[in-house]
Structures are given as structure tokens and as C-alpha cells.
């Protein structure tokens, strides 16, 4: 039987405010456990939460970016559930009226086609703390408790793990372009729950879904979805679907590449939501809304501008704009005078290939100004493309300017006509027989003369000059 995959994603994005959502405790990552806590995030009796205004502004920015409805009145609810790492025993979240509803994100395929993925809602809530397990002993770090979260819930519109990853990468890029979250997956500030189900091809009914919890790597999200699809498909084929595929929360084991049952999945009624009596409804005035909907250029807009202004290929424009850091790096290269198409190659092919051991564009020893300088030295004929790779390798390991590296490595091209002609004339004199063959119609010998000239110049001769001057001499 042929099955259709149905995937919906819930993304938890930590917002990059300096303080928590309902108190003034800092949100800094990696501090000593249980040092960034107060009466509010510890849930002590009598402590009253106060909503962080910046959290609301950042939620409005996302809603604007995904063409969603911004609810100027929304409310916070108490979600009652046992959280060992949230001392109150409930989570303050939004349920009936979220701040953002009915948005959309378009994903881009390599063949140039696009697909709309609906976004049901994006609501504000507080993060829980973190459980740290050492053998049979568990510790709780409450520094993260109360960190502002934006939970972004998609429609079940994705039909493959590929589409899920494209959606997540686009959402990740939007958050970074808006600068509302650092979206650091390793630190857990961008994590995903995947709801996966299957159905016979052609049916529209939604079957039982399994939720795979707390995924924070694009690679593992894809693997977890693919495993779960295979598990459910096999259960259907084996006639045990109704027994083995139940509504539940599952965890993904990265070492065994399998999902396993964690707990039964609660419905909303089981959380016993009710409006939080300690928090007033969130009312967004018109002037605040007008201010917050002014957002920066987003990935799709930047891609379209790059295509129009720089004349680069659509694939290259998609790659460059896939992250805000790369787009900024590229535009700095252009502003420094590097040619648009050469800048693409030296950024996406040469520099990225040399980043290793956790190095990023931000931490790269060769910044945008230096890389632009290398490109300009190629374009003005100072060095060849091959020599430029040596310069880049040198600068990845040594602190120097581009011109200093060129001089130290002795890679400056000879572009003087007289010097190159002297080498060419000597080679022609020493190879009279091959000259005769070339002039007799054996055009392939031209490559021989180019090679000999470059060899004699120790690779320093400007290749375009060599070709030009050789042709004039041999065709004379």
C-alpha cells in the first residue's frame, strides 16, 4: 500500500530578551545553576508576575513577518501539568487567544518551486527549567525557568521530512533576520516537536499522530521523522497499526536511531486551562502595533533584491540569504568593491569549505573585508585564482593583510608585456618544430606553449596575458 505522510511541527523559540518573561531575572546562558532565579520564577506564594513588554514586541514582529493576524487583545492561561523543573506546578501560556494567528511560510525547493505551509498560531509562554541526570540522581537547574518562549505551531501541511526541514530552516532564518531569537539549536533556544502520522494515499482523514519531543538538530529531526514514518507504515502493513500506533509522546534516541514511547499524549482538556488570575489581558495599543510591524528585510525579499541588483543565479541567492550572517558577509564584500559573481564563489565555495572545528563566518579569521580584497586582487590581475587559494589558506592560519600575504608567498602575477614576451620568444626559439606543427594546423599545441610559459615564469605570469601574447606571436 502507498501511504501519504502528514507532518505538523511545533517550534519553541526562546526570545532574546535580557530578562525573563514575567520577572527581571537575566536570561543569560551557561551561568552557575540556580543563580538567575527569584520569587516569581520559583513560584513562591504571593509573588506576582509582570509581563515583559519586549516579549510582546518580538511576537508582533514574527506575526508581521509570516503575514499573520496580530490579536491586539490576548490572554495568558495556566496550563496545569506536573513539571519537575517548573516549581509552580503549572505553565503560564496562551491558549484561547494567542497573540499571533493564521500565518504562512513559503518553502523553496531546488527546482525553483515553492509551497505554502500554514502557521496555525504563535503564542507566548514561559520556558521550564532543565533536568540534569547523573546516573540514578537527577538535579534541577531553574535558571531557564521563565525564559520567554514563542511557540510556533504549523498546520499539518508537510508531506515529507524534506519539507519539514525546509520549513524549519526558513523559520530559523526569519527569526535570525528579525533578531528576536539567537535560535541556537545546541543551546536549546530553537527546538522542535514533530507530529507525524500516515494515511493511505488519496484519503483526507487524519489518522493517529505520534509526537516526537524536543528535537534540536536538523539532521536528527529528519532522521526521527523518517524512522517514525517507517515504524507506522510497517505497523499498518503488519496489521497491528491500531495497537502499536497510539496518540503518545515519543523520544528520539540518536545513538540507536529510533523513537520510543515516553508517555501518553494529553489533550488540551487534560491540562485544565483557565485564565491566569495574576495577569491582566494583553492589550496592544495602535501606536505600539504600528511601531512593531516595521520589520527588517527578510530572506525572500533579500533574495529577490540580490537577483535584481547583482545578477547572480537564483540557487546562489537562496544559499547566500539562507542565513543573515552570510547575507551580511556578502553585502560587505560587495560594498568593498568585490565583483558580485566572484564574491559568491569565494564565499560559498572557498571560504565555507575552510571553516572547521566549530568555526563560523562570525569567528572566521578571514572577514568580509579581507575576502573582498582577495577577490579584487584576482580581478585586477595581481594574483591568479590558483594563487588566491594559497593566499586564503595562509590567511586562515596567519594574521596579515592580503597584500602582505601575496608578497610573503611571492605570488604576485607578472603582467608586464615585455617580461612575458621575453619568455615566449625563448620558448618559440627552442621549439621551432612544434611552432611549425602549430602553424600547420595542429591547434592543440597551443596548450603546450601556454604550459611552458607558465612553467618558465614559475606560475607568476598573468594567464590571460600569456594567452593574448602567445597568440599574437604564434599567429604572426
Amino acid at each position: 500500500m502507498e501511504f501519504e505522510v502528514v507532518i505538523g511541527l511545533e517550534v519553541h523559540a526562546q526570545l532574546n530578551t535580557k530578562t525573563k518573561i514575567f520577572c527581571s531575572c537575566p536570561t543569560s546562558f551557561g551561568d552557575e545553576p540556580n543563580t538567575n532565579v527569584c520569587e516569581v520564577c520559583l513560584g513562591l506564594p504571593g509573588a506576582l508576575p509582570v509581563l515583559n513588554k519586549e516579549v510582546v514586541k518580538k511576537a508582533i514582529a514574527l506575526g508581521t513577518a509570516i503575514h499573520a493576524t496580530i490579536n491586539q487583545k490576548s490572554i495568558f492561561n495556566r496550563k496545569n501539568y506536573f513539571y519537575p523543573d517548573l516549581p509552580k506546578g503549572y505553565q503560564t501560556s496562551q491558549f484561547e487567544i494567542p497573540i499571533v494567528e493564521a500565518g504562512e511560510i513559503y518553502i523553496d525547493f531546488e527546482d525553483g518551486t515553492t509551497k505554502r505551509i500554514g502557521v496555525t498560531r504563535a503564542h507566548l509562554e514561559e520556558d521550564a527549567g532543565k533536568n540534569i541526570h547523573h546516573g540514578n540522581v537527577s538535579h534541577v537547574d531553574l535558571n531557564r525557568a521563565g525564559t520567554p518562549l514563542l511557540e510556533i505551531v504549523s498546520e499539518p501541511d508537510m508531506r515529507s521530512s524534506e519539507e519539514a526541514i525546509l520549513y524549519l530552516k526558513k523559520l530559523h532564518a526569519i527569526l535570525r533576520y528579525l533578531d528576536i531569537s539567537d535560535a541556537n539549536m545546541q543551546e536549546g533556544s530553537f527546538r522542535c516537536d514533530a507530529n507525524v502520522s500516515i494515511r493511505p494515499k488519496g484519503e483526507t482523514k487524519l489518522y493517529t499522530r505520534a509526537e516526537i519531543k524536543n528535537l534540536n538538530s536538523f539532521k536528527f529531526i529528519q532522521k526521527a521523522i523518517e524512522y517514525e514514518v517507517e515504524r507506522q507504515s510497517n505497523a499498518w502493513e503488519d496489521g497491528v497499526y491500531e495497537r502499536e500506533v497510539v496518540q503518545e509522546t515519543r523520544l528520539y534516541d540518536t545513538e540507536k536511531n529510533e523513537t520510543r514511547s515516553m508517555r501518553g499524549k494529553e489533550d488540551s482538556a487534560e491540562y485544565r486551562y483557565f485564565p491566569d488570575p495574576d495577569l491582566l489581558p494583553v492589550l496592544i495599543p495602535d501606536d505600539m502595533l504600528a511601531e512593531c510591524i516595521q520589520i527588517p528585510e527578510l530572506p525572500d525579499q533579500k533574495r529577490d533584491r540580490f537577483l535584481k541588483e547583482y545578477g547572480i543565479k537564483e540557487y546562489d541567492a537562496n544559499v547566500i540569504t539562507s542565513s543573515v550572517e552570510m547575507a551580511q558577509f556578502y553585502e560587505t564584500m560587495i560594498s568593498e568593491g568585490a565583483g558580485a559573481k566572484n564574491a559568491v564563489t569565494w564565499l560559498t565555495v572557498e571560504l565555507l569549505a575552510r571553516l572547521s572545528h566549530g568555526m563560523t563566518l562570525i569567528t572566521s579569521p578571514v572577514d568580509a573585508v579581507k575576502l573582498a580584497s582577495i577577490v579584487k586582487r584576482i580581478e585586477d590581475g595581481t594574483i591568479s585564482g590558483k594563487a588566491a587559494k594559497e593566499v586564503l589558506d595562509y590567511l586562515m592560519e596567519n594574521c596579515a593583510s592580503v597584500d602582505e600575504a601575496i608578497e610573503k608567498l611571492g605570488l604576485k602575477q607578472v603582467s608586464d608585456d615585455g617580461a612575458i614576451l621575453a619568455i615566449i620568444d625563448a620558448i618559440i626559439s627552442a621549439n621551432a618544430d612544434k611552432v611549425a606543427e602549430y602553424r600547420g594546423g595542429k591547434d592543440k599545441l597551443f596548450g603546450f606553449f601556454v604550459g611552458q610559459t607558465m612553467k618558465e615564469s614559475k606560475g607568476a605570469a598573468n594567464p590571460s596575458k600569456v594567452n593574448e601574447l602567445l597568440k599574437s606571436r604564434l599567429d604572426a
Side-chain angles (χ1 to χ4, degrees), residues 63-112:
T64 304
I66 62 173
H67 314 114
T69 298
I70 311 294
N71 289 320
Q72 288 186 253
K73 178 182 179 181
S74 61
I75 62 172
F76 280 99
N77 301 82
R78 290 187 179 181
K79 180 182 180 182
N80 295 277
Y81 183 75
F82 174 68
Y83 294 89
D85 44 12
L86 203 55
K88 297 182 297 186
Y90 63 85
Q91 182 187 36
T92 306
S93 180
Q94 293 188 312
F95 180 57
E96 290 106 338
I97 310 176
I99 192 167
V100 172
E101 283 186 292
E104 61 186 10
I105 290 176
Y106 285 85
I107 59 175
D108 309 294
F109 298 97
E110 284 192 15
D111 63 4

Short mmCIF file of all heavy atoms in Angstrom, two decimals, residues 63-112:
data_model
loop_
_atom_site.label_atom_id
_atom_site.label_comp_id
_atom_site.label_asym_id
_atom_site.label_seq_id
_atom_site.Cartn_x
_atom_site.Cartn_y
_atom_site.Cartn_z
N GLY A 63 4.79 37.79 13.85
CA GLY A 63 3.47 37.75 13.21
C GLY A 63 3.43 38.55 11.93
O GLY A 63 2.85 38.13 10.93
N THR A 64 4.09 39.70 11.93
CA THR A 64 4.17 40.53 10.72
C THR A 64 4.93 39.81 9.62
O THR A 64 4.53 39.82 8.46
CB THR A 64 4.85 41.87 11.05
OG1 THR A 64 4.15 42.52 12.12
CG2 THR A 64 4.87 42.78 9.83
N ALA A 65 6.04 39.17 9.99
CA ALA A 65 6.90 38.51 9.01
C ALA A 65 6.20 37.34 8.32
O ALA A 65 6.47 37.05 7.15
CB ALA A 65 8.18 38.02 9.68
N ILE A 66 5.28 36.66 9.02
CA ILE A 66 4.61 35.49 8.43
C ILE A 66 3.19 35.83 7.98
O ILE A 66 2.37 34.93 7.79
CB ILE A 66 4.62 34.29 9.40
CG1 ILE A 66 3.85 34.60 10.69
CG2 ILE A 66 6.06 33.87 9.73
CD1 ILE A 66 3.67 33.39 11.61
N HIS A 67 2.90 37.12 7.82
CA HIS A 67 1.61 37.60 7.29
C HIS A 67 0.43 37.08 8.12
O HIS A 67 -0.58 36.64 7.57
CB HIS A 67 1.44 37.17 5.83
CG HIS A 67 2.65 37.41 4.99
ND1 HIS A 67 3.39 36.40 4.44
CD2 HIS A 67 3.27 38.57 4.63
CE1 HIS A 67 4.41 36.91 3.77
NE2 HIS A 67 4.35 38.22 3.87
N ALA A 68 0.60 37.12 9.43
CA ALA A 68 -0.42 36.58 10.33
C ALA A 68 -1.30 37.69 10.89
O ALA A 68 -1.02 38.88 10.75
CB ALA A 68 0.26 35.82 11.47
N THR A 69 -2.36 37.27 11.55
CA THR A 69 -3.22 38.19 12.29
C THR A 69 -2.59 38.44 13.66
O THR A 69 -2.22 37.50 14.36
CB THR A 69 -4.62 37.58 12.49
OG1 THR A 69 -5.23 37.37 11.21
CG2 THR A 69 -5.50 38.49 13.33
N ILE A 70 -2.44 39.72 14.02
CA ILE A 70 -1.95 40.07 15.35
C ILE A 70 -3.17 40.41 16.21
O ILE A 70 -3.91 41.35 15.91
CB ILE A 70 -1.01 41.31 15.30
CG1 ILE A 70 0.06 41.15 14.22
CG2 ILE A 70 -0.40 41.57 16.67
CD1 ILE A 70 1.04 40.05 14.46
N ASN A 71 -3.38 39.65 17.25
CA ASN A 71 -4.51 39.92 18.15
C ASN A 71 -4.11 41.02 19.12
O ASN A 71 -3.22 40.82 19.96
CB ASN A 71 -4.91 38.66 18.90
CG ASN A 71 -5.58 37.64 18.00
OD1 ASN A 71 -6.37 38.00 17.13
ND2 ASN A 71 -5.26 36.37 18.19
N GLN A 72 -4.76 42.16 19.00
CA GLN A 72 -4.43 43.27 19.89
C GLN A 72 -4.92 43.03 21.32
O GLN A 72 -4.52 43.74 22.23
CB GLN A 72 -4.98 44.58 19.33
CG GLN A 72 -4.20 45.06 18.10
CD GLN A 72 -4.63 46.43 17.61
OE1 GLN A 72 -5.28 46.53 16.58
NE2 GLN A 72 -4.26 47.47 18.34
N LYS A 73 -5.75 42.02 21.49
CA LYS A 73 -6.09 41.56 22.83
C LYS A 73 -5.85 40.07 22.90
O LYS A 73 -6.38 39.29 22.10
CB LYS A 73 -7.56 41.86 23.18
CG LYS A 73 -7.95 41.33 24.56
CD LYS A 73 -9.41 41.59 24.90
CE LYS A 73 -9.75 41.01 26.28
NZ LYS A 73 -11.17 41.22 26.65
N SER A 74 -5.00 39.66 23.82
CA SER A 74 -4.76 38.23 24.04
C SER A 74 -4.67 38.00 25.54
O SER A 74 -4.56 38.94 26.32
CB SER A 74 -3.47 37.77 23.34
OG SER A 74 -2.33 38.46 23.85
N ILE A 75 -4.75 36.74 25.95
CA ILE A 75 -4.74 36.44 27.39
C ILE A 75 -3.76 35.32 27.70
O ILE A 75 -3.43 34.50 26.84
CB ILE A 75 -6.14 36.08 27.91
CG1 ILE A 75 -6.65 34.81 27.21
CG2 ILE A 75 -7.11 37.23 27.75
CD1 ILE A 75 -7.95 34.27 27.82
N PHE A 76 -3.32 35.30 28.94
CA PHE A 76 -2.46 34.22 29.43
C PHE A 76 -3.30 33.24 30.26
O PHE A 76 -4.22 33.66 30.99
CB PHE A 76 -1.32 34.77 30.28
CG PHE A 76 -0.18 35.31 29.47
CD1 PHE A 76 -0.07 36.67 29.24
CD2 PHE A 76 0.76 34.46 28.91
CE1 PHE A 76 0.97 37.18 28.48
CE2 PHE A 76 1.81 34.95 28.14
CZ PHE A 76 1.91 36.33 27.92
N ASN A 77 -2.98 31.98 30.11
CA ASN A 77 -3.68 30.91 30.83
C ASN A 77 -2.69 30.12 31.69
O ASN A 77 -1.49 30.18 31.48
CB ASN A 77 -4.34 29.94 29.85
CG ASN A 77 -5.34 30.63 28.95
OD1 ASN A 77 -4.97 31.22 27.95
ND2 ASN A 77 -6.61 30.55 29.30
N ARG A 78 -3.24 29.39 32.60
CA ARG A 78 -2.44 28.43 33.36
C ARG A 78 -2.65 27.04 32.76
O ARG A 78 -3.79 26.57 32.67
CB ARG A 78 -2.82 28.45 34.83
CG ARG A 78 -2.39 29.71 35.55
CD ARG A 78 -2.63 29.63 37.04
NE ARG A 78 -2.19 30.85 37.71
CZ ARG A 78 -2.26 31.05 39.03
NH1 ARG A 78 -2.76 30.08 39.81
NH2 ARG A 78 -1.83 32.17 39.56
N LYS A 79 -1.55 26.42 32.39
CA LYS A 79 -1.57 25.07 31.83
C LYS A 79 -1.13 24.13 32.96
O LYS A 79 0.05 24.08 33.31
CB LYS A 79 -0.63 24.99 30.63
CG LYS A 79 -0.55 23.64 29.95
CD LYS A 79 0.47 23.71 28.80
CE LYS A 79 0.59 22.38 28.08
NZ LYS A 79 1.61 22.45 27.00
N ASN A 80 -2.07 23.40 33.52
CA ASN A 80 -1.78 22.61 34.71
C ASN A 80 -1.22 21.24 34.34
O ASN A 80 -1.89 20.43 33.69
CB ASN A 80 -3.06 22.45 35.53
CG ASN A 80 -3.54 23.78 36.08
OD1 ASN A 80 -3.07 24.24 37.11
ND2 ASN A 80 -4.47 24.42 35.37
N TYR A 81 -0.01 21.03 34.79
CA TYR A 81 0.69 19.80 34.43
C TYR A 81 1.88 19.68 35.36
O TYR A 81 2.46 20.69 35.78
CB TYR A 81 1.16 19.90 32.97
CG TYR A 81 1.84 18.66 32.44
CD1 TYR A 81 1.11 17.53 32.12
CD2 TYR A 81 3.22 18.63 32.26
CE1 TYR A 81 1.73 16.40 31.64
CE2 TYR A 81 3.86 17.50 31.78
CZ TYR A 81 3.11 16.38 31.47
OH TYR A 81 3.73 15.26 31.00
N PHE A 82 2.29 18.47 35.69
CA PHE A 82 3.42 18.31 36.60
C PHE A 82 4.73 18.52 35.83
O PHE A 82 5.12 17.72 34.98
CB PHE A 82 3.42 16.93 37.25
CG PHE A 82 4.67 16.71 38.07
CD1 PHE A 82 4.87 17.43 39.24
CD2 PHE A 82 5.64 15.82 37.66
CE1 PHE A 82 6.03 17.25 39.99
CE2 PHE A 82 6.80 15.64 38.40
CZ PHE A 82 7.00 16.35 39.57
N TYR A 83 5.39 19.61 36.14
CA TYR A 83 6.72 19.89 35.58
C TYR A 83 7.73 19.80 36.73
O TYR A 83 7.73 20.65 37.63
CB TYR A 83 6.79 21.31 35.00
CG TYR A 83 5.91 21.56 33.80
CD1 TYR A 83 4.60 21.99 33.95
CD2 TYR A 83 6.41 21.41 32.51
CE1 TYR A 83 3.80 22.25 32.85
CE2 TYR A 83 5.62 21.66 31.40
CZ TYR A 83 4.32 22.08 31.58
OH TYR A 83 3.54 22.35 30.48
N PRO A 84 8.60 18.82 36.74
CA PRO A 84 9.60 18.75 37.82
C PRO A 84 10.56 19.94 37.79
O PRO A 84 11.22 20.22 38.80
CB PRO A 84 10.34 17.43 37.53
CG PRO A 84 10.09 17.15 36.09
CD PRO A 84 8.73 17.72 35.79
N ASP A 85 10.63 20.62 36.64
CA ASP A 85 11.56 21.74 36.51
C ASP A 85 10.82 23.09 36.41
O ASP A 85 11.36 24.06 35.92
CB ASP A 85 12.47 21.55 35.31
CG ASP A 85 11.73 21.06 34.06
OD1 ASP A 85 10.49 21.10 34.09
OD2 ASP A 85 12.39 20.66 33.10
N LEU A 86 9.55 23.12 36.87
CA LEU A 86 8.79 24.37 36.94
C LEU A 86 8.04 24.35 38.27
O LEU A 86 6.98 23.73 38.39
CB LEU A 86 7.82 24.46 35.76
CG LEU A 86 7.34 25.87 35.35
CD1 LEU A 86 8.51 26.80 35.05
CD2 LEU A 86 6.44 25.77 34.12
N PRO A 87 8.60 25.00 39.29
CA PRO A 87 8.12 24.79 40.67
C PRO A 87 6.66 25.12 40.90
O PRO A 87 6.04 24.58 41.83
CB PRO A 87 9.02 25.73 41.48
CG PRO A 87 10.23 25.97 40.64
CD PRO A 87 9.76 25.91 39.22
N LYS A 88 6.05 25.99 40.08
CA LYS A 88 4.66 26.38 40.30
C LYS A 88 3.69 25.22 40.11
O LYS A 88 2.56 25.25 40.61
CB LYS A 88 4.27 27.51 39.33
CG LYS A 88 5.05 28.79 39.52
CD LYS A 88 4.59 29.89 38.58
CE LYS A 88 4.80 29.55 37.13
NZ LYS A 88 4.48 30.68 36.23
N GLY A 89 4.09 24.21 39.33
CA GLY A 89 3.18 23.11 39.04
C GLY A 89 2.27 23.41 37.87
O GLY A 89 1.36 22.64 37.56
N TYR A 90 2.45 24.54 37.24
CA TYR A 90 1.71 24.88 36.02
C TYR A 90 2.60 25.78 35.17
O TYR A 90 3.57 26.37 35.66
CB TYR A 90 0.39 25.59 36.33
CG TYR A 90 0.53 26.93 37.03
CD1 TYR A 90 0.74 28.10 36.30
CD2 TYR A 90 0.47 27.02 38.42
CE1 TYR A 90 0.88 29.33 36.94
CE2 TYR A 90 0.61 28.24 39.06
CZ TYR A 90 0.81 29.39 38.33
OH TYR A 90 0.96 30.59 38.96
N GLN A 91 2.27 25.88 33.91
CA GLN A 91 2.99 26.75 32.99
C GLN A 91 2.08 27.90 32.58
O GLN A 91 0.92 27.69 32.25
CB GLN A 91 3.45 25.98 31.74
CG GLN A 91 4.25 26.83 30.75
CD GLN A 91 4.53 26.08 29.46
OE1 GLN A 91 3.70 25.31 28.99
NE2 GLN A 91 5.70 26.28 28.90
N THR A 92 2.62 29.11 32.62
CA THR A 92 1.86 30.26 32.14
C THR A 92 2.05 30.34 30.63
O THR A 92 3.16 30.49 30.12
CB THR A 92 2.34 31.56 32.81
OG1 THR A 92 2.30 31.40 34.22
CG2 THR A 92 1.47 32.73 32.39
N SER A 93 0.94 30.20 29.91
CA SER A 93 0.97 30.11 28.45
C SER A 93 -0.28 30.80 27.89
O SER A 93 -1.10 31.31 28.65
CB SER A 93 1.02 28.63 28.03
OG SER A 93 1.06 28.50 26.63
N GLN A 94 -0.39 30.82 26.58
CA GLN A 94 -1.59 31.36 25.94
C GLN A 94 -2.35 30.22 25.28
O GLN A 94 -1.74 29.38 24.61
CB GLN A 94 -1.22 32.42 24.91
CG GLN A 94 -0.64 33.68 25.52
CD GLN A 94 -0.45 34.79 24.49
OE1 GLN A 94 0.09 34.58 23.42
NE2 GLN A 94 -0.89 36.00 24.84
N PHE A 95 -3.67 30.19 25.47
CA PHE A 95 -4.46 29.09 24.92
C PHE A 95 -5.61 29.60 24.04
O PHE A 95 -5.53 29.57 22.82
CB PHE A 95 -4.99 28.20 26.05
CG PHE A 95 -5.82 27.06 25.58
CD1 PHE A 95 -5.30 26.14 24.67
CD2 PHE A 95 -7.12 26.88 26.04
CE1 PHE A 95 -6.07 25.07 24.21
CE2 PHE A 95 -7.89 25.82 25.59
CZ PHE A 95 -7.37 24.91 24.68
N GLU A 96 -6.67 30.17 24.66
CA GLU A 96 -7.83 30.58 23.87
C GLU A 96 -7.51 31.67 22.87
O GLU A 96 -7.93 31.63 21.71
CB GLU A 96 -8.98 31.06 24.78
CG GLU A 96 -9.64 29.97 25.59
CD GLU A 96 -9.23 30.04 27.05
OE1 GLU A 96 -8.16 30.62 27.34
OE2 GLU A 96 -9.98 29.52 27.88
N ILE A 97 -6.77 32.67 23.31
CA ILE A 97 -6.48 33.81 22.42
C ILE A 97 -4.97 34.03 22.39
O ILE A 97 -4.41 34.69 23.26
CB ILE A 97 -7.19 35.11 22.88
CG1 ILE A 97 -8.68 34.86 23.15
CG2 ILE A 97 -7.01 36.20 21.83
CD1 ILE A 97 -9.41 36.07 23.70
N PRO A 98 -4.29 33.47 21.40
CA PRO A 98 -2.85 33.70 21.27
C PRO A 98 -2.58 35.08 20.66
O PRO A 98 -3.47 35.68 20.06
CB PRO A 98 -2.40 32.59 20.33
CG PRO A 98 -3.59 32.37 19.45
CD PRO A 98 -4.80 32.61 20.33
N ILE A 99 -1.36 35.54 20.76
CA ILE A 99 -1.03 36.86 20.22
C ILE A 99 -0.95 36.85 18.70
O ILE A 99 -1.22 37.85 18.04
CB ILE A 99 0.28 37.38 20.86
CG1 ILE A 99 0.48 38.86 20.52
CG2 ILE A 99 1.48 36.54 20.44
CD1 ILE A 99 1.55 39.54 21.34
N VAL A 100 -0.63 35.68 18.10
CA VAL A 100 -0.48 35.57 16.65
C VAL A 100 -1.30 34.39 16.14
O VAL A 100 -1.24 33.30 16.70
CB VAL A 100 1.01 35.39 16.26
CG1 VAL A 100 1.16 35.08 14.77
CG2 VAL A 100 1.82 36.63 16.62
N GLU A 101 -2.06 34.61 15.06
CA GLU A 101 -2.87 33.53 14.48
C GLU A 101 -2.83 33.60 12.95
O GLU A 101 -2.67 34.67 12.36
CB GLU A 101 -4.32 33.67 14.92
CG GLU A 101 -4.63 33.21 16.31
CD GLU A 101 -6.13 33.23 16.60
OE1 GLU A 101 -6.70 34.33 16.66
OE2 GLU A 101 -6.71 32.15 16.75
N ALA A 102 -3.00 32.43 12.34
CA ALA A 102 -3.24 32.31 10.89
C ALA A 102 -2.18 33.00 10.03
O ALA A 102 -2.45 33.96 9.32
CB ALA A 102 -4.63 32.87 10.56
N GLY A 103 -0.96 32.45 10.10
CA GLY A 103 0.11 32.96 9.26
C GLY A 103 0.50 31.96 8.19
O GLY A 103 -0.18 30.94 7.98
N GLU A 104 1.61 32.23 7.52
CA GLU A 104 2.08 31.34 6.45
C GLU A 104 3.57 31.51 6.23
O GLU A 104 4.14 32.59 6.46
CB GLU A 104 1.33 31.62 5.14
CG GLU A 104 1.54 33.05 4.64
CD GLU A 104 0.69 33.38 3.42
OE1 GLU A 104 -0.19 32.57 3.07
OE2 GLU A 104 0.92 34.44 2.81
N ILE A 105 4.21 30.43 5.82
CA ILE A 105 5.62 30.44 5.45
C ILE A 105 5.75 29.69 4.14
O ILE A 105 5.16 28.61 3.98
CB ILE A 105 6.49 29.79 6.55
CG1 ILE A 105 6.53 30.70 7.79
CG2 ILE A 105 7.90 29.52 6.05
CD1 ILE A 105 7.28 30.10 8.96
N TYR A 106 6.51 30.23 3.21
CA TYR A 106 6.73 29.57 1.93
C TYR A 106 8.10 28.90 1.92
O TYR A 106 9.11 29.53 2.27
CB TYR A 106 6.63 30.58 0.78
CG TYR A 106 5.20 30.98 0.49
CD1 TYR A 106 4.58 32.01 1.19
CD2 TYR A 106 4.44 30.29 -0.46
CE1 TYR A 106 3.26 32.36 0.94
CE2 TYR A 106 3.12 30.63 -0.72
CZ TYR A 106 2.53 31.66 -0.01
OH TYR A 106 1.22 31.99 -0.26
N ILE A 107 8.11 27.63 1.56
CA ILE A 107 9.38 26.91 1.46
C ILE A 107 9.79 26.80 -0.01
O ILE A 107 8.95 26.78 -0.90
CB ILE A 107 9.29 25.51 2.12
CG1 ILE A 107 8.20 24.64 1.46
CG2 ILE A 107 9.02 25.65 3.61
CD1 ILE A 107 8.16 23.21 1.99
N ASP A 108 11.09 26.75 -0.23
CA ASP A 108 11.64 26.78 -1.59
C ASP A 108 12.35 25.46 -1.90
O ASP A 108 13.21 25.02 -1.13
CB ASP A 108 12.64 27.93 -1.74
CG ASP A 108 12.06 29.26 -1.27
OD1 ASP A 108 11.12 29.73 -1.91
OD2 ASP A 108 12.54 29.80 -0.25
N PHE A 109 11.99 24.84 -3.01
CA PHE A 109 12.64 23.60 -3.45
C PHE A 109 13.76 23.93 -4.45
O PHE A 109 13.77 25.00 -5.06
CB PHE A 109 11.61 22.66 -4.08
CG PHE A 109 10.53 22.23 -3.13
CD1 PHE A 109 9.30 22.87 -3.10
CD2 PHE A 109 10.74 21.19 -2.24
CE1 PHE A 109 8.30 22.48 -2.23
CE2 PHE A 109 9.75 20.78 -1.36
CZ PHE A 109 8.53 21.44 -1.35
N GLU A 110 14.67 22.98 -4.62
CA GLU A 110 15.82 23.21 -5.50
C GLU A 110 15.41 23.42 -6.95
O GLU A 110 16.14 24.07 -7.71
CB GLU A 110 16.82 22.05 -5.39
CG GLU A 110 17.65 22.08 -4.12
CD GLU A 110 18.82 21.11 -4.17
OE1 GLU A 110 19.15 20.63 -5.28
OE2 GLU A 110 19.40 20.82 -3.12
N ASP A 111 14.27 22.88 -7.35
CA ASP A 111 13.84 23.04 -8.74
C ASP A 111 13.17 24.39 -8.99
O ASP A 111 12.66 24.65 -10.09
CB ASP A 111 12.90 21.91 -9.15
CG ASP A 111 11.60 21.88 -8.34
OD1 ASP A 111 11.39 22.80 -7.51
OD2 ASP A 111 10.79 20.96 -8.53
N GLY A 112 13.15 25.26 -7.97
CA GLY A 112 12.59 26.59 -8.14
C GLY A 112 11.13 26.72 -7.74
O GLY A 112 10.59 27.83 -7.72
#
